[in-house]
Amino acid sequence: DTGVSQDPRHKITKRGQNVTFRCDPISEHNRLYWYRQTLGQGPEFLTYFQNEAQLEKSRLLSDRFSAERPKGSFSTLEIQRTEQGDSAMYLCASSAGAYNSPLHFGNGTRLTVT
Amino acid sequence: KNEVEQSPQNLTAQEGEFITINCSYSVGISALHWLQQHPGGGIVSLFMLSSGKKKHGRLIATINIQEKHSSLHITASHPRDSAVYICSTQGGSEKLVFGKGTKLTVNP
């Protein structure tokens, strides 16, 4: 088991472009979370999946953001028409099915919008 | 809305010192997490606790539910402990609320 994997590690894009990030959770984990972290701040919850179902979304997730987990395994987070304010570290985490199971985080994707 | 406050924001210590980082929250929770984040972004879960005290190696985490307060202690601190330590709380849903983190620097 290699842990939670995120790709790419870094992404630089121009304002207005679309970007897509991928997260591969630990294989037996059915819960997957996306968080966003800006410099000097703690992470902020974006959305959460249980298997393929997206069960909770933050108000931070505007209509330019969409997340999917089509087969209940890997997940993608897409940002359309990127803005400079989207620049942040996007973190993925996964956990097993039991409530309050520990979270395992990936190393994140750092997005810079120029 | 739950607010999670950590103190101090920054902490510098000499190797070997006993470290305490504090976390306060404003509403009832089901669990509290202590996380460690190294430069570059990777986050490691250190503890998840809902009552009492947990110990792992040189790290100790305590929580007082009545006072809505938790502490993370590091005994015999070492330069490799230098990182950002983040407290986060979990309420009735899967959504975690995070503090801003405490940046710890341990000098040799």
Side-chain angles (χ1 to χ4, degrees):
Chain A
D1 174 23
T2 56
V4 178
S5 174
Q6 290 189 246
D7 183 69
R9 287 297 309 275
H10 304 274
K11 178 70 177 179
I12 301 173
T13 191
K14 291 186 178 178
R15 192 169 49 133
Q17 297 293 306
N18 299 343
V19 293
T20 300
F21 310 141
R22 176 178 170 126
C23 172
D24 286 88
I26 292 173
S27 57
E28 64 269 22
H29 285 182
N30 61 11
R31 296 184 177 190
L32 186 147
Y33 308 79
W34 284 100
Y35 298 92
R36 181 173 71 184
Q37 185 178 27
T38 52
L39 203 60
Q41 302 294 315
E44 297 171 295
F45 172 83
L46 291 179
T47 190
Y48 144 65
F49 290 85
Q50 179 154 325
N51 298 313
E52 66 276 8
Q54 187 173 20
L55 296 186
E56 198 168 347
K57 284 173 65 171
S58 165
R59 289 170 298 157
L60 293 173
L61 218 64
S62 75
D63 56 5
R64 296 184 298 106
F65 287 71
S66 62
E68 294 183 341
R69 194 183 183 198
K71 297 181 180 178
S73 56
F74 73 91
S75 175
T76 57
L77 178 68
E78 182 183 16
I79 309 174
Q80 296 182 324
R81 306 181 302 282
T82 52
E83 300 172 358
Q84 287 187 317
D86 298 331
S87 296
M89 175 75 84
Y90 290 83
L91 293 160
C92 176
S94 70
S95 72
Y99 186 66
N100 283 350
S101 295
L103 285 177
H104 297 259
F105 284 84
N107 286 326
T109 293
R110 183 170 295 283
L111 172 67
T112 302
V113 181
T114 62
Chain B
K1 179 185 171 186
N2 193 20
E3 306 272 343
V4 178
E5 299 286 339
Q6 286 186 237
S7 63
Q9 253 185 303
N10 293 282
L11 181 56
T12 301
Q14 287 301 121
E15 184 173 356
E17 285 184 2
F18 181 82
I19 304 288
T20 296
I21 299 171
N22 295 300
C23 175
S24 297
Y25 52 93
S26 57
V27 303
I29 60 171
S30 60
L32 183 141
H33 302 253
W34 280 103
L35 310 168
Q36 180 191 57
Q37 186 171 32
H38 281 283
I43 293 180
V44 174
S45 177
L46 298 174
F47 294 103
M48 181 179 66
L49 64 166
S50 53
S51 65
K53 175 180 171 179
K54 286 191 176 181
K55 184 175 189 292
H56 182 69
R58 295 180 295 107
L59 302 178
I60 302 166
T62 64
I63 187 168
N64 185 317
I65 297 296
Q66 287 73 31
E67 294 186 4
K68 296 185 175 62
H69 181 268
S70 175
S71 293
L72 176 69
H73 304 285
I74 305 175
T75 61
S77 59
H78 189 276
R80 65 174 174 266
D81 297 326
S82 298
V84 175
Y85 291 84
I86 302 172
C87 169
S88 69
T89 62
Q90 188 165 8
S93 73
E94 292 295 321
K95 175 181 172 181
L96 290 184
V97 178
F98 294 81
K100 291 184 178 180
T102 294
K103 184 176 180 182
L104 172 66
T105 303
V106 181
N107 294 318

